[in-house]
């Protein structure tokens, strides 16, 4: 068993990565929302799907951050850990749907393509930070707890 201080530090590391993922998501959501108001993108089903998925990804990222904040401050409820694993997996699933739909947005000019390029970069960043957070958390808690949290995912 790891000393309590080490575990708290580990959760702080995971929280920092999730917070970086949330910052990237904030910019991504801003870009996608702005695109919804631009005439060349307005009404596209693929863009609407990305926008809808952002509600899910934001919810799960923020819930994970809240769980981790509580763990960092000393709460030691196993359910917080399991819920964080579940949130990471749910987020990854919704990120994947958003990424696929982002690639299906119709562009008719190089200017429109720039919107997609910039949005894609922020999408990659939010995913990469979350992937790193999940890797650190899995190392911290071990495969048994990770799998227990994974089993909480709806439809798992």
């Amino acid at each position: 068993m790891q000393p309590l201080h080490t575990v708290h530090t580990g959760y702080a590391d995971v929280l920092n990565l999730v917070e970086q993922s949330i910052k990237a998501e904030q910019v991504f959501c801003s870009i996608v929302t702005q695109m919804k108001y631009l005439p060349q993108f307005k009404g596209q089903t693929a863009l609407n799907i990305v926008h809808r998925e952002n509600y899910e990804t934001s919810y799960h990222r923020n819930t994970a951050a809240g769980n981790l904040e509580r763990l960092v401050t000393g709460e030691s409820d196993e359910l917080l850990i399991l819920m964080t694993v579940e949130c990471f997996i749910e987020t990854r699933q919704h990120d994947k749907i958003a990424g696929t739909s982002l690639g299906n947005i119709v562009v008719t000019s190089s200017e429109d393509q720039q919107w997609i390029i910039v949005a894609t970069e922020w999408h990659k960043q939010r995913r990469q930070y979350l992937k790193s957070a999940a890797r650190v958390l899995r190392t911290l808690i071990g495969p048994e707890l990770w799998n227990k949290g994974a089993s909480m995912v709806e439809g798992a």
Side-chain angles (χ1 to χ4, degrees):
M1 174 117 185
Q2 294 184 1
L4 198 54
H5 175 72
T6 303
V7 172
H8 287 226
T9 302
Y11 291 136
D13 293 341
V14 177
L15 177 58
N16 180 54
L17 290 164
V18 171
E19 288 172 342
Q20 293 301 312
S21 180
I22 289 170
K23 286 179 184 177
E25 176 155 76
Q26 289 169 338
V27 177
F28 179 73
C29 287
S30 173
I31 293 166
V32 168
T33 300
Q34 186 175 2
M35 288 171 66
K36 283 184 60 101
Y37 291 99
L38 299 175
Q40 66 268 38
F41 297 114
K42 198 172 184 85
Q44 286 198 35
T45 301
L47 180 59
N48 291 337
I49 292 170
V50 175
H51 193 259
R52 183 188 69 223
E53 291 303 313
N54 284 346
Y55 283 91
E56 293 290 335
T57 61
S58 293
Y59 173 81
H60 290 296
R61 277 184 173 86
N62 277 290
T63 301
N67 294 341
L68 290 160
E69 188 67 48
R70 292 171 65 194
L71 289 164
V72 167
T73 59
E75 288 190 46
S76 60
D77 187 343
E78 180 180 291
L79 186 56
L80 289 174
I81 298 165
L82 301 179
M83 290 179 352
T84 302
V85 171
E86 184 266 342
C87 283
F88 283 0
I89 294 169
E90 292 273 2
T91 302
R92 188 176 66 220
Q93 291 172 348
H94 290 286
D95 277 347
K96 185 175 181 180
I97 295 167
T100 299
S101 294
L102 185 62
N104 291 331
I105 295 172
V106 177
V107 295
T108 56
S109 71
S110 58
E111 183 182 316
D112 294 353
Q113 186 61 39
Q114 280 305 116
W115 283 96
I116 303 301
I117 290 168
V118 171
T120 300
E121 182 54 39
W122 285 103
H123 177 65
K124 285 179 185 175
Q125 283 187 36
R126 74 179 181 163
R127 291 185 71 190
Q128 187 56 49
Y129 280 117
L130 189 77
K131 184 177 182 177
S132 296
R135 189 178 304 119
V136 172
L137 181 62
R138 187 177 185 138
T139 299
L140 188 65
I141 66 172
E144 185 178 320
L145 266 184
W146 181 271
N147 292 336
K148 193 173 177 182
S151 72
M152 294 171 56
V153 174
E154 290 182 23

